[in-house]
Amino acid sequence: MAPLWERVARPRLPKYERRGRPRKPDPPPASPPGGWLQPALFEVCRDFTRIDPEQHTGPDNPWLAWARHTAHRLGEARGWPRKIRLAVDRALIILMSRHVGGDVVRYSELHPALQPRRLNMELTIEVLDHIGVFLDDRTPSFEQWLERKLDGIAPGIRRDVEHWVRLLHDGGPRSQPRDENTAWNYLNRVRPVLLEWSTRYDHLREVTRDDVLAQLDALHGGQRQHTLVVLRSLFRQAKKNGTIFKNPTSRIRVGQREYGILQPLEPEHINISVAAVTKPADRLVLALAAVHAARSGAIRRLQLDDLDIGNRKLTIGGRVRPLDDLTLHVALEWLEFRRRRWPDTANPHLLINKITALSTGPVSEVTLSKPLRGQAATLEQLRIDRQLEEALVHGPDPLHLAEVFGLDEKTAIRYANSARVLLVQAAEQQLR
C-alpha cells in the first residue's frame, strides 16, 4: 500500500474517468452556415417529440455543429457543469439535427420535446437565441394581465386606459418606459374606480371633478394620495391625446402626507429572525440588511469586486463602508461555500444560487425575502430598524444619517423626527 502522503496528494479524477469511461470530446470549431437561403413557402409546426437523439443525429448538419460549438463556448465562459453541458448538447441534437437554413425553433415546439425529458430549456433557448434561430411565440404575461384587468371596463374608457398603461410600460416618442411594477400598481390602484365609473359613463370625458372628489373622500392617507397621483397621470395623458376636453383632477391638492412615528423592533423579533436563517447566503443577506441597512435591490446587485477583504471595505450602492467583524465572518463563510459549491461559475455577483450560477444575472427578489417570510423582522424591517438605531445612538441629525446611509433629505428628516420623539418619550418616562 502506498504511503499516506502519496494517497492524500493523489489528484481526484472526475467521475467518468474513475468509472473507466472516456471523456466526451469537445465539439470541433464551427462557423455560422452561409450561402443562399430558400424562403419558406408556408409555416409548418414540427413535432420534435418523435426525434430520438440516439437514432436521428445528423452529425454533418452545419447548423447542429454551429449550435454545439456555441453551447461549448457559452459553457466554458459560464462554468457549466458537465451534467448541464451534456443535457444542453442532447437538447440541441433533438432540435437541430434536421435544421435547414431559414427555419426557426418556436417555444411551442421546443417545450413538448424537452420538458418530458427534463432537459434544461432555459440554457438551450439561450444557445438558440445566440445563433438566431429561436422564436418566442408565447403570449407575454403583461398582455395576459392587461386583458384580465381591463375586463368589465366600458369600451370608451377602456381605450384610453389601455393606451395609458401601454405608454407607461413601453414608453413613447416623448416618454421613457416606466418599470413594469409601476404599470401594474397604477392600474391596480384605479381599477375599482374605473369599474364604478363604467356603470354610469361610456367615456372618460363624462367624468367630472365631483366624481373624482367622491372617490377620494372615501380614501385616507397614502391611499388617497396614491389614487390622486394615478388619476392625474391617466387624465393628463387623455387630455394630451385629445380624448377629453378638461382634466377633472386639476387643482385638486394632494396634501402633505403624514408619516407615523417609526418604532424600533423588539429584541425577541430580531432573535427569531436571526435563528430562522441557517444557510451561509441567508446569513450574509441578513447582516447586510441589519448592519449596513442595505436595500434588497442593492444586495442583489453586489459584485464580488465590491467586497474588499484585505482592506475590510464594502461598497454598497456606490458608497464605501467599513467591514465589521460580523459581516466579515459571514462573508468569508459564504465565499468558502460558494467556492466549493460552484468552483467554475463565471457569475460576477456576490450572491448566486443554483440557477444564476449558470448565467451572469443576479438572484431574484424572492430568493432574498423567502427565508424571513412571515417573520415580524423582515429584511425591510431590519433595514429600517438599523437606520432608526443610528439616529437614536448618535442623535437625530439628518445630515449624519444622509452621510452614513446615503438617504435623501426627506427620508433622513423623517428618521430624525422619529428618533427625536422616541428620545423625548424615553426622557419623560425616566422623570416619572
Side-chain angles (χ1 to χ4, degrees):
M1 180 180 293
L4 179 62
W5 66 271
E6 292 185 2
R7 285 182 281 143
V8 172
R10 185 179 303 163
R12 184 175 178 85
L13 298 176
K15 289 183 179 179
Y16 55 85
E17 293 189 15
R18 296 201 304 268
R19 295 173 181 173
R21 292 183 298 176
R23 181 182 184 273
K24 187 176 180 179
D26 297 335
S31 58
W36 179 77
L37 299 179
Q38 171 65 46
L41 182 61
F42 52 87
E43 294 184 357
V44 178
C45 293
R46 291 165 295 176
D47 185 8
F48 292 109
T49 60
R50 299 179 178 273
I51 296 180
D52 185 355
E54 304 298 335
Q55 300 178 2
H56 299 91
T57 304
D60 297 332
N61 191 319
W63 287 97
L64 175 58
W66 172 235
R68 298 176 77 173
H69 177 65
T70 302
H72 175 70
R73 290 191 297 105
L74 283 176
E76 290 287 341
R78 305 281 179 82
W80 293 353
R82 180 174 181 271
K83 181 179 179 180
I84 296 297
R85 297 188 188 188
L86 293 178
V88 173
D89 186 72
R90 185 180 178 87
L92 292 176
I93 291 174
I94 295 174
L95 300 174
M96 304 297 293
S97 290
R98 300 181 178 179
H99 193 90
V100 297
D103 286 349
V104 293
V105 180
R106 298 174 178 82
Y107 183 88
S108 57
E109 302 169 341
L110 173 148
H111 182 272
L114 302 188
Q115 196 275 336
R117 293 182 169 97
R118 298 182 180 276
L119 299 177
N120 196 305
M121 290 190 295
E122 289 77 13
L123 298 182
T124 304
I125 290 174
E126 185 176 0
V127 173
L128 297 177
D129 192 48
H130 265 75
I131 64 177
V133 298
F134 176 69
L135 176 62
D136 192 349
D137 57 353
R138 293 173 292 179
T139 303
S141 59
F142 175 78
E143 297 295 335
Q144 299 177 4
W145 168 84
L146 184 60
E147 184 66 25
R148 291 195 309 269
K149 292 300 181 179
L150 295 178
D151 185 35
I153 300 178
I157 299 178
R158 173 173 176 154
R159 284 192 295 271
D160 287 338
V161 174
E162 182 176 1
H163 181 271
W164 165 65
V165 175
R166 291 189 183 279
L167 191 66
L168 291 174
H169 185 265
D170 303 327
R174 296 186 178 181
S175 61
Q176 295 292 329
R178 307 286 290 274
D179 186 84
E180 191 174 61
N181 291 327
T182 301
W184 290 357
N185 293 333
Y186 273 26
L187 184 53
N188 287 332
R189 169 59 60 185
V190 298
R191 185 171 184 270
V193 178
L194 299 174
L195 290 174
E196 197 276 329
W197 285 344
S198 296
T199 60
R200 295 180 288 148
Y201 304 131
D202 296 325
H203 301 278
L204 284 181
R205 57 177 172 268
E206 301 177 64
V207 178
T208 64
R209 178 186 175 90
D210 293 336
D211 294 323
V212 175
L213 291 175
Q215 295 292 335
L216 296 178
D217 289 342
L219 304 174
H220 303 280
Q223 291 186 351
R224 182 184 187 278
Q225 183 186 35
H226 190 202
T227 301
L228 180 55
V229 169
V230 176
L231 288 176
R232 277 182 172 177
S233 175
L234 170 61
F235 283 104
R236 187 183 300 115
Q237 186 59 43
K239 181 70 180 304
K240 185 182 297 184
N241 295 337
T243 57
I244 64 174
F245 303 110
K246 186 178 181 180
N247 186 348
T249 62
S250 60
R251 296 188 300 277
I252 297 180
R253 299 189 61 182
V254 176
Q256 184 67 29
R257 182 175 180 178
E258 297 182 2
Y259 294 96
I261 303 301
L262 296 173
Q263 298 293 330
L265 289 172
E266 297 294 335
E268 57 268 21
H269 293 161
I270 300 178
N271 294 333
I272 293 174
S273 294
V274 172
V277 293
T278 57
K279 299 180 180 179
D282 298 335
R283 286 195 284 266
L284 176 58
V285 171
L286 186 140
L288 292 174
V291 177
H292 300 275
R295 294 183 179 272
S296 58
I299 296 176
R300 294 172 57 229
R301 292 189 296 269
L302 279 176
Q303 306 280 307
L304 287 171
D305 294 339
D306 294 331
L307 185 62
D308 188 351
I309 299 295
N311 296 318
R312 298 195 62 162
K313 293 181 180 180
L314 176 66
T315 304
I316 304 178
R319 303 182 67 86
V320 180
R321 300 178 55 84
L323 200 58
D324 58 285
D325 293 337
L326 174 61
T327 308
L328 177 63
H329 174 73
V330 294
L332 291 175
E333 181 186 22
W334 159 247
L335 290 176
E336 176 60 22
F337 176 83
R338 171 192 165 116
R339 183 189 64 82
R340 288 187 285 104
R341 180 67 176 83
W342 301 287
D344 299 324
T345 181
N347 195 317
H349 290 85
L350 177 62
L351 292 171
I352 59 175
N353 55 26
K354 63 180 181 180
I355 297 177
T356 60
L358 305 177
S359 62
T360 58
V363 297
S364 65
E365 183 75 24
V366 177
T367 301
L368 301 188
S369 60
K370 185 177 180 180
L372 295 181
R373 185 176 299 167
Q375 302 292 340
T378 61
L379 288 180
E380 181 65 14
Q381 292 295 332
L382 289 170
R383 183 187 68 83
I384 294 174
D385 185 74
R386 172 66 184 92
Q387 294 175 160
L388 182 60
E389 178 195 27
E390 185 74 18
L392 292 172
V393 172
H394 295 276
D397 183 4
L399 294 178
H400 175 75
L401 295 176
E403 179 64 24
V404 173
F405 300 110
L407 303 177
D408 61 78
E409 57 181 21
K410 291 184 178 180
T411 304
I413 291 174
R414 180 191 175 194
Y415 278 99
N417 291 338
S418 296
R420 189 176 295 107
V421 172
L422 293 175
L423 292 174
V424 171
Q425 291 177 353
E428 291 177 351
Q429 290 180 357
Q430 290 180 357
L431 292 177
R432 293 176 184 174

